[in-house]
Structure formats: C-alpha cells, structure tokens
Amino acid sequence: MKKLNGTNKINIAVFISGKGSNLKNLIKHSYAYNSKFRISLIITDNSKALGLKFAKKFHIKKKIVNFDNTKLVEKNLVMFLKRNKISLICLAGFMRILSKKFIKNFNGKILNIHPSLLPKYKGLNTHKRAIKNKEKFSGCTVHLVNSKLDSGKIILQKKVKIFKKDTPKSLALRILVQEHALYPKAVKKILANL
Ligand code: GRF
C-alpha cells in the first residue's frame, strides 16, 4: 500500500462560525495513523468564533472573512482556497449559505453536517422542533452541499433516540457525540472517490 507522508495528503478547509467541536474532532482524526487528509485551513465568518483557538493550538492557517459583499468575497475566497490546494471543504457549524457560483467551483467537494435526519428538519432549531413533534428519533446527517439549504446528496446518517425527558440541549449534546463519529467516516468515504 502507498504510504502517505505530509506532502501528499489531501488538503481540507473547515468552515466554522462557532465552537468548532467538529473541527477539533476532524483535526484529531487527521493525525490518526494512515490518515489521508490534513486540515490545512480554517475559515470563519465570525472573528469571535471559539473554534479559532484550534488554529493556534494546532498551527493551522486561519482566515476571517467578512461576508458583507458576498460576491467579491466569495470570488477571492475561491482563489485563496485554490492557491492553498484545497480539495475538500467541510462546513462544521458554518452559519452562512454559500452562493451557487461558489458551490460550482467545488462541485461535489463541499460537505456539511446537520443535526437532524435529513430531509426532516432542515434549517435552525432542529432539536426543539423534533421534540415538539414528538419524534421518536432524531440524529445527524453528513451531506454534499448544493444551492438549496440542507438538501444535497446524503453521504451518511446516524439515528439517535429521543427520550421523554429530553430537552433541546440534552438531545443536542447526545447528537453531537454521534456527529463526531459520523463526520470523519463521511470524509473518508468522499476521499475514497475523489
Ligand atoms: C453542530 O451541531 C452541527 O451539526 C451544526 O452546528 C453544530 C456545530 O457545532 N451544523 P460545533 O461548532 O462543531 O461544535
């Protein structure tokens, strides 16, 4: 089997807006024996994103992007990502919708993780809505990003039981544990076909 060294690993950019627990988890997996990828860029739209601390901790290049002028910003961002030889983008708690044009530049190469069993509960407040509707299960989904919100091809999903005593917070925490198991698996699956 071909051995991967630091130089021929696949470069991934992770886009975050908040805590970055999925980012941290992907970084951890990138250090695993025989991992085929490295997290080489962290992009955020939020200069106060807590997840930015992982850039310093793990010596990863970061970029804070002000998305106010979306068109120009995205054009520059595409160039920046290409210059940095990014082959895959992982959205992880990134609270922006990317334009069609941006997505076209990385067609089939942008993943997102969403805390529900898509196509159910797209958008925000998934846990609150699932509990309110007395669903027996929720979960998480890793999917390809297309121009419609939370609607691209599903790569992997994991079901999580909803208990009677669950609050949106307790459910979110239990699902997050599964997100951390699911996202690296989905990345591996996509990389196998790149
Ligand atoms: C996760 O629940 C993810 O599914 C959603 O936003 C949350 C991000 O959490 N899209 P973190 O920033 O990775 O901790």
Side-chain angles (χ1 to χ4, degrees), residues 19-22 93 113-115 176 179:
K19 259 190 349 253
S21 72
N22 277 289
I113 187 150
H114 185 75
L176 194 61
E179 289 184 34

Side-chain angles (χ1 to χ4, degrees), residues 77-140:
L77 187 54
V78 167
M79 289 195 301
F80 180 73
L81 293 165
K82 301 233 156 148
R83 259 202 321 276
N84 282 277
K85 302 197 168 21
I86 296 299
S87 304
L88 183 71
I89 294 172
C90 291
L91 309 184
F94 183 64
M95 303 303 281
R96 296 249 172 199
I97 297 175
L98 296 162
S99 74
K100 260 189 192 162
K101 203 164 176 196
F102 182 92
I103 294 166
K104 224 173 145 192
N105 272 287
F106 288 91
N107 203 8
K109 291 173 183 157
I110 310 178
L111 288 175
N112 181 39
I113 187 150
H114 185 75
S116 79
L117 290 175
L118 290 173
K120 280 189 160 182
Y121 305 108
K122 297 173 182 175
L124 298 174
N125 300 317
T126 52
H127 309 304
K128 195 174 164 192
R129 289 186 282 142
I131 290 171
K132 195 172 164 221
N133 288 348
K134 302 202 183 332
E135 297 281 0
K136 291 204 163 49
F137 292 94
S138 186
C140 47

Side-chain angles (χ1 to χ4, degrees), residues 35-76:
S35 154
K36 291 188 170 43
F37 66 91
R38 89 154 75 78
I39 307 300
S40 42
L41 269 183
I42 299 170
I43 307 287
T44 187
D45 60 333
N46 173 13
S47 60
K48 294 196 171 70
L50 291 179
L52 282 175
K53 66 173 182 256
F54 300 120
K56 194 164 181 205
K57 188 163 178 200
F58 296 101
H59 309 285
I60 299 171
K61 202 194 269 191
K62 67 167 189 234
K63 192 173 180 66
I64 300 162
V65 178
N66 176 350
F67 275 83
D68 287 347
N69 179 353
T70 308
K71 238 179 170 176
L72 183 65
V73 164
E74 283 193 347
K75 195 174 161 212
N76 289 335

